[in-house]
Amino acid sequence: MSLSKTLPQYKVVYEIIRRHINNGVYRKGDILPSENQLCAVHQTTRPTIRKALDRLVHEGYIRKKQGKGSIVMGVPRGVGILSLSSTTSAVGKENLITNIIVKPEIRNWDTTNLAFPLLNDEEEFGCIYFERLRIMNKVPVFYDITMMPNINLYRFVNRNLENKSLFNVLRTVYDIEITGGEQRLMAIKADQKLHDYLNVNEGHPILHLNRKLETNKEDFFIYSQVYCNSEKYAIFGTF
């Protein structure tokens, strides 16, 4: 199932243009195709195109100038983990390093810090658990713990996720697309583990995201806890 079948059309257009900017198809100073041209390419209406462009303006990807159109500002200095696309897509492969702290393994669910209740089937099958540290331009930006139901993910624990996009692996190998989700944010103080991983002092304020990601597979959710060091990089995006 493609995103075009599971998302509102303006989000589809937004994700496509944003990906093109992140991948360098459109560079800083380029002018996007006109609204009429975008309508023709994406076979949609002008209000839909304008809604997608307004979101790109809000996130700093483009700016609108009367008489010229939509001017590309480049990739914003931030990490778009609040968006539907993967972090690799949001910041670009050349800027992001993924270190695996705990390799994927099957274990019982640890619901200690999980903000969302599990389904009965999820609990019964156990989870695939792994931890990653994401480094952007040599700065450790966030540490994440991911838990997925151990359902129809054949040989996932044998996969090497070093410098790989989880979303891409799920989409290309298992036909699983992220379609939406829910997340809860709070500020916490860094403990010893976060001090070590994110290179911050103990007690430093850290943004903690508890996430439940929906997919195109019924009752299949991905849970993650993300700890963000936003001292140098703002956290941005839409969800």
Side-chain angles (χ1 to χ4, degrees):
M1 184 182 295
S2 67
L3 284 180
S4 61
K5 295 181 180 179
T6 55
L7 291 179
Q9 185 62 23
Y10 81 90
K11 281 192 175 181
V12 174
V13 176
Y14 156 81
E15 293 286 350
I16 290 172
I17 297 175
R18 188 168 70 96
R19 185 176 71 248
H20 288 167
I21 295 174
N22 286 326
N23 292 343
V25 177
Y26 296 121
R27 299 182 180 277
K28 185 174 182 179
D30 288 348
I31 298 176
L32 293 182
S34 69
E35 291 181 2
N36 285 339
Q37 291 171 329
L38 291 172
C39 287
V41 169
H42 297 286
Q43 296 184 324
T44 190
T45 64
R46 179 168 283 191
T48 296
I49 295 298
R50 285 180 176 170
K51 193 169 183 179
L53 294 177
D54 286 345
R55 178 156 290 186
L56 291 164
V57 169
H58 177 72
E59 294 189 356
Y61 280 97
I62 65 173
R63 68 181 176 91
K64 290 184 177 181
K65 186 172 182 180
Q66 191 170 5
K68 289 197 76 172
S70 299
I71 303 173
V72 175
M73 303 301 294
V75 179
R77 185 177 173 80
V79 182
I81 62 170
L82 305 187
S83 301
L84 272 179
S85 65
S86 69
T87 306
T88 304
S89 161
V91 304
K93 290 181 180 179
E94 68 278 5
N95 297 321
L96 186 69
I97 295 174
T98 301
N99 289 340
I100 306 302
I101 305 298
V102 176
K103 294 180 179 179
E105 61 185 32
I106 297 173
R107 59 166 70 175
N108 290 328
W109 292 90
D110 179 3
T111 58
T112 306
N113 295 312
L114 203 62
F116 307 97
L118 296 171
L119 302 176
N120 288 336
D121 286 348
E122 290 176 325
E123 289 190 273
E124 291 173 355
F125 279 95
C127 76
I128 295 176
Y129 176 102
F130 52 96
E131 299 180 15
R132 299 176 295 172
L133 181 66
R134 319 303 292 277
I135 301 168
M136 183 173 172
N137 295 325
K138 299 183 180 180
V139 177
V141 177
F142 60 94
Y143 157 71
D144 70 68
I145 299 169
T146 302
M147 291 177 280
M148 305 184 298
N150 182 31
I151 303 174
N152 295 326
L153 293 176
Y154 179 67
R155 297 180 64 85
F156 188 92
V157 294
N158 296 326
R159 296 197 170 275
N160 179 11
L161 298 180
E162 197 88 15
N163 295 321
K164 300 283 180 61
S165 164
L166 172 63
F167 285 15
N168 286 343
V169 170
L170 291 174
R171 184 179 64 254
T172 58
V173 180
Y174 300 98
D175 197 28
I176 295 175
E177 294 270 10
I178 309 302
T179 59
E182 184 179 353
Q183 51 194 356
R184 301 176 185 179
L185 291 76
M186 63 184 296
I188 64 171
K189 293 181 179 180
D191 58 13
Q192 181 63 47
K193 178 187 284 189
L194 296 178
H195 158 73
D196 293 340
Y197 288 159
L198 298 177
N199 194 27
V200 297
N201 294 326
E202 285 193 59
H204 185 86
I206 295 293
L207 181 64
H208 179 209
L209 286 78
N210 239 309
R211 312 180 82 191
K212 179 180 180 179
L213 301 179
E214 301 169 357
T215 72
N216 58 336
K217 293 198 172 183
E218 187 175 1
D219 293 336
F220 186 95
F221 303 97
I222 298 171
Y223 302 87
S224 66
Q225 297 166 38
V226 186
Y227 300 87
C228 310
N229 176 14
S230 58
E231 186 174 17
K232 291 188 177 182
Y233 291 98
I235 307 302
F236 71 92
T238 54
F239 199 71

